[in-house]
Amino acid sequence: MSEDSNLKPDSDAVIPRIKLSEYGTTGLRVSNKQIYEEANRLFQYPQFIKVVNEMKNDATVASCLLAGKTLIGRVDWSVQPPVGATDVQKQRAKFIESCMNDMDHTWGSFITEVTSYLEYGFDVHEKVFRRRLRSNGSRYNDGLVGWKKLAQRNQNTITGWKFSEDGRELLSVEQSVANLSSSVKLALSKGIGSTVEIPKSKFLLFTCDSTNENPEGRSILKGAYTSYKKLQLLQDQMMIGVARDLGGVPCFGIPPRYLDPNASAEDKAVADSFRQIGENLNTGAQSSVVMPLMYDPETKQPVFKMDLLESKGGKAYDVPAICKQLQDDIAAAMSCSILRLTGNSPDNYSIGTGRTNLMALHLAYRLKEITDVINNDLIPQTFALNGWTDEQLPKVVFGDFDRPAMEEFSKMLQRVASVGLVEFDRPVANMVREYIGVPVKEEDEEIDKESLTNQGNSPSKSGQGFASPSGEGTRKTPSGRDNSSTNVENAS
């Protein structure tokens, strides 16, 4: 029963009796540790690994993936204590932040590896803890349980998922060591076979757009696959057409008796030799052709001749334009359509701003997927291993990666400050200092208002425009002219 008196049942309440446990199941189709949610066999693991590795070599796909990884990689990370945190909670939040910087690898490299869950749909990282002692390789010597590494388990090695008998709970993941070196395989398998089973309590699972609690998630490349295949086909055909237009198609003229199905072995050998010459010219294995100079005694025409057939006339379709449209479709499916803006169209600025915002929203959603796993799995387990029973835990939070331009930021500050809309306290001051590249100060350090540049002999009076009932305030000059109305920034 809750200790909060406000949450206790009312004295005259009749509490209904109901079974609190689950009745149904997610319906995830699992057989022999394999998941069969995807109807297309190409998108089922492990076949999908080959599809992803192939698609990543495409220029459009690679640029979109790089754009997302770059923006996520430049985000600043910090640990935020709970609201109204006590001194103990603040100290434990600083401990979590120190764990981020006390691993065998950097936090940034960990985040970079996690972003692979976008193209594969999931990413597994094993949690490796250690006692924080300098003898164990830690920077600290406080004896607390910290993080040694959050080691990635490559998607190529994940071979199965083990669920509970009712299918509701993921128990472990199976990793194959069959393709590793014999020494590593022996060290990992410990004589139990070619696979290693990692229990759920020992790994972090990052999933992309997971449904039905599917640990394999859904890759962002699946939506781009159809356009990608069409693009590959068109590009291949276009290159074949270009090669043929540049070099031509070899065409040999020989007497019909050499092509007769009942021709002699010698005549068939002559026809085969010309076919081989054509293939060699097409592949570039042959640079010249030597033919006998023979003339028909009746027609006085050469018995053997060679021509290069060239493409005549225009194309029925604009293939480069179709390829560009397919590239746009791939970028749109991966929420990176901003990369496809070209030219000097006056609409590009407004369109680009909208697309940038959409891409920022998409990446913010992905960052939330990452932080949810860390905050709901790694941090609670770290607290438990150290014997801390806090009900409110600190959270790992990510900073801005889509900051407004300095001009827009300064306008916002001026307008907010001019009307006194926000209290100028240390968090606000630190936000400004961080944006302009000045080192922030401690949260509990008071603001020295005497040193502010707006204080003194000429403080700003921009907010006095709201002092009068009509709101004209300081907008009029001594001559009576309203300069405010000609300011383009005030235009509606």
Side-chain angles (χ1 to χ4, degrees), residues 14 123 147 150 182 186 189 201 205 231 245 257 327 333 338 351 363 413 457 490:
V14 178
D123 188 36
W147 309 336
L150 300 173
S182 57
L186 180 63
S189 61
S201 60
L205 176 61
L231 178 64
D245 285 347
R257 68 186 181 88
Q327 290 172 332
I338 182 64
I351 294 175
L363 292 179
L413 287 180
N457 298 327
N490 295 332

Side-chain angles (χ1 to χ4, degrees), residues 287-361:
S287 59
S288 62
V289 179
V290 178
M291 295 191 303
L293 184 60
M294 298 174 59
Y295 291 92
D296 186 275
E298 296 181 359
T299 62
K300 307 300 181 182
Q301 298 295 322
V303 177
F304 303 101
K305 66 177 181 178
M306 173 185 173
D307 294 319
L308 290 176
L309 299 181
E310 298 180 1
S311 177
K312 305 295 183 181
K315 302 295 187 298
Y317 301 99
D318 188 350
V319 177
I322 298 175
C323 290
K324 181 181 181 302
Q325 180 59 53
L326 291 173
Q327 290 172 332
D328 292 343
D329 293 342
I330 293 174
M334 300 178 66
S335 299
C336 290
S337 56
I338 182 64
L339 300 181
R340 301 295 303 163
L341 285 181
T342 57
N344 298 317
S345 171
D347 294 332
N348 273 6
Y349 178 77
S350 58
I351 294 175
T353 302
R355 292 184 181 181
T356 302
N357 290 338
L358 288 176
M359 185 177 182
L361 290 174

Side-chain angles (χ1 to χ4, degrees), residues 151-412:
Q152 185 184 40
R153 302 299 174 234
N154 195 290
Q155 289 88 349
N156 290 296
T157 64
I158 302 301
T159 56
W161 309 90
K162 184 177 180 181
F163 287 83
S164 59
E165 293 184 0
D166 57 14
R168 295 191 181 109
E169 183 180 358
L170 177 64
L171 301 179
S172 62
V173 64
E174 187 179 86
Q175 184 184 26
S176 172
V177 297
N179 296 326
L180 304 180
S181 63
S182 57
S183 59
V184 176
K185 186 190 307 183
L186 180 63
L188 290 176
S189 61
K190 298 179 181 178
I192 61 175
S194 60
T195 60
V196 176
E197 187 172 321
I198 308 175
K200 181 61 182 70
S201 60
K202 280 289 292 178
F203 67 86
L204 297 171
L205 176 61
F206 300 91
T207 56
C208 180
D209 295 333
S210 177
T211 57
N212 294 334
E213 298 182 9
N214 185 353
E216 291 181 349
R218 176 178 173 80
S219 167
I220 63 173
L221 298 185
K222 289 184 178 181
Y225 180 75
T226 302
S227 297
Y228 161 77
K229 293 303 293 183
K230 292 178 181 178
L231 178 64
Q232 293 299 303
L233 177 62
L234 278 179
Q235 287 179 334
D236 290 343
Q237 293 299 318
M238 185 170 61
M239 290 301 101
I240 293 175
V242 169
R244 287 178 176 175
D245 285 347
L246 290 176
V249 179
C251 179
F252 297 97
I254 61 177
R257 68 186 181 88
Y258 293 101
L259 302 175
D260 193 318
N262 299 320
S264 64
E266 292 80 5
D267 289 346
K268 289 182 178 180
V270 171
D272 290 340
S273 65
F274 279 103
R275 293 191 185 96
Q276 186 62 48
I277 290 174
E279 293 179 2
N280 292 341
L281 290 173
N282 189 45
T283 59
Q286 185 169 334
S287 59
S288 62
V289 179
V290 178
M291 295 191 303
L293 184 60
M294 298 174 59
Y295 291 92
D296 186 275
E298 296 181 359
T299 62
K300 307 300 181 182
Q301 298 295 322
V303 177
F304 303 101
K305 66 177 181 178
M306 173 185 173
D307 294 319
L308 290 176
L309 299 181
E310 298 180 1
S311 177
K312 305 295 183 181
K315 302 295 187 298
Y317 301 99
D318 188 350
V319 177
I322 298 175
C323 290
K324 181 181 181 302
Q325 180 59 53
L326 291 173
Q327 290 172 332
D328 292 343
D329 293 342
I330 293 174
M334 300 178 66
S335 299
C336 290
S337 56
I338 182 64
L339 300 181
R340 301 295 303 163
L341 285 181
T342 57
N344 298 317
S345 171
D347 294 332
N348 273 6
Y349 178 77
S350 58
I351 294 175
T353 302
R355 292 184 181 181
T356 302
N357 290 338
L358 288 176
M359 185 177 182
L361 290 174
H362 171 255
L363 292 179
Y365 172 72
R366 298 306 177 191
L367 286 166
K368 187 176 183 302
E369 283 183 328
I370 296 174
T371 54
D372 283 347
V373 174
I374 297 171
N375 292 329
N376 296 325
D377 187 332
L378 180 60
I379 292 180
Q381 187 174 12
T382 304
F383 267 56
L385 291 174
N386 285 288
W388 301 334
T389 59
D390 300 42
E391 295 182 358
Q392 293 181 314
L393 302 179
K395 294 182 178 180
V396 171
V397 295
F398 56 89
D400 294 331
F401 57 86
D402 186 38
R403 292 184 176 184
M406 182 66 74
E407 182 179 359
E408 298 297 325
F409 182 71
S410 61
K411 290 176 184 177
M412 182 275 293

Side-chain angles (χ1 to χ4, degrees), residues 139-154:
R139 299 179 183 178
Y140 304 91
N141 207 34
D142 51 23
L144 297 172
V145 177
W147 309 336
K148 177 178 175 62
K149 63 174 71 172
L150 300 173
Q152 185 184 40
R153 302 299 174 234
N154 195 290

